[in-house]
Amino acid sequence: MSETYQAKRERWQRLLESLPAGLREHVSLRNVESVAALTPPAQQRLLEAIQAGLKRLPRAVEQLRANPDAPVGELLNPSATTVAEIQPQISPQVKDGLTSIVQLCFPDMPRVSAEALVEAEVMDIVRQTAQVHLALLASDRLRADFVLMTAYGLMRQSLEQLEGIINGSPALQRAFLQSALPWKPNEWRNESHA
């Protein structure tokens, strides 16, 4: 059963209250999970950066996750290399493809809103997956039967796991029914082929 928004909000509030006193007032509920996941010294460093004028909390949290000993100066003025590592560029092909999929899922969403959603932090894992899929499909190695069959098996297994999540959530099932995205449950199952 998926967590209700109210339950999630209560959990976020508890996480917020568990943060060091000076840090609580600077962390929004949407960022509380990532801040709470930092080590106590990294949280203290984040507070020092905030007191020194930090404005971009999510970027600093990502830097501290990658390097809990990052100096405050680096959190305030991240180098171009650090920023590029944290926010990899989205290829135009991936961005356009994901934007089209978002609009297929949510037909009433304007294109500009779909593009903004594709670029949002919450979609990081989807962008990374799309980029890897693009590289996989462009690879000459995919022509080898064992590579193709293994990749195909992995995709089918992932699809089955996603369908399990969908089947466990009536809200997700309704969202699929309301979208223009075709949803055909996977017929391939984990059966032994003895």
Side-chain angles (χ1 to χ4, degrees), residues 10-105:
E10 289 169 5
R11 182 172 50 80
W12 287 342
Q13 194 62 45
R14 286 190 302 274
L15 282 174
L16 188 62
E17 291 166 8
S18 73
L19 294 177
L23 191 55
R24 289 180 204 147
E25 63 216 40
H26 300 287
V27 178
S28 66
L29 285 181
R30 71 176 183 195
N31 291 319
V32 72
E33 285 180 312
S34 57
V35 173
L38 294 174
T39 63
Q43 290 176 354
Q44 183 59 40
R45 185 139 332 188
L46 181 62
L47 177 57
E48 291 169 14
I50 290 169
Q51 291 169 340
L54 177 71
K55 300 291 184 225
R56 302 261 335 223
L57 189 72
R59 180 183 295 165
V61 170
E62 287 298 320
Q63 285 179 268
L64 286 167
R65 190 178 318 166
N67 176 15
D69 298 321
V72 171
E74 190 176 303
L75 298 175
L76 293 171
N77 298 309
S79 67
T81 303
T82 305
V83 172
E85 289 171 3
I86 293 170
Q87 297 178 342
Q89 290 293 335
I90 309 169
S91 77
Q93 189 175 3
V94 167
K95 182 178 176 183
D96 188 54
L98 289 177
T99 300
S100 295
I101 291 171
V102 168
Q103 286 193 289
L104 186 63
C105 295

Side-chain angles (χ1 to χ4, degrees), residues 79-149:
S79 67
T81 303
T82 305
V83 172
E85 289 171 3
I86 293 170
Q87 297 178 342
Q89 290 293 335
I90 309 169
S91 77
Q93 189 175 3
V94 167
K95 182 178 176 183
D96 188 54
L98 289 177
T99 300
S100 295
I101 291 171
V102 168
Q103 286 193 289
L104 186 63
C105 295
F106 304 97
D108 295 335
M109 185 178 291
R111 181 109 183 140
V112 69
S113 298
E115 287 173 349
L117 180 59
V118 165
E119 293 176 352
E121 182 180 346
V122 71
M123 293 287 280
D124 284 349
I125 195 68
V126 176
R127 286 193 307 271
Q128 292 170 21
T129 302
Q131 196 67 46
V132 170
H133 282 194
L134 185 65
L136 171 72
L137 295 171
S139 174
D140 289 337
R141 294 181 178 168
L142 195 60
R143 299 196 193 317
D145 59 355
F146 61 91
V147 175
L148 178 79
M149 291 178 72

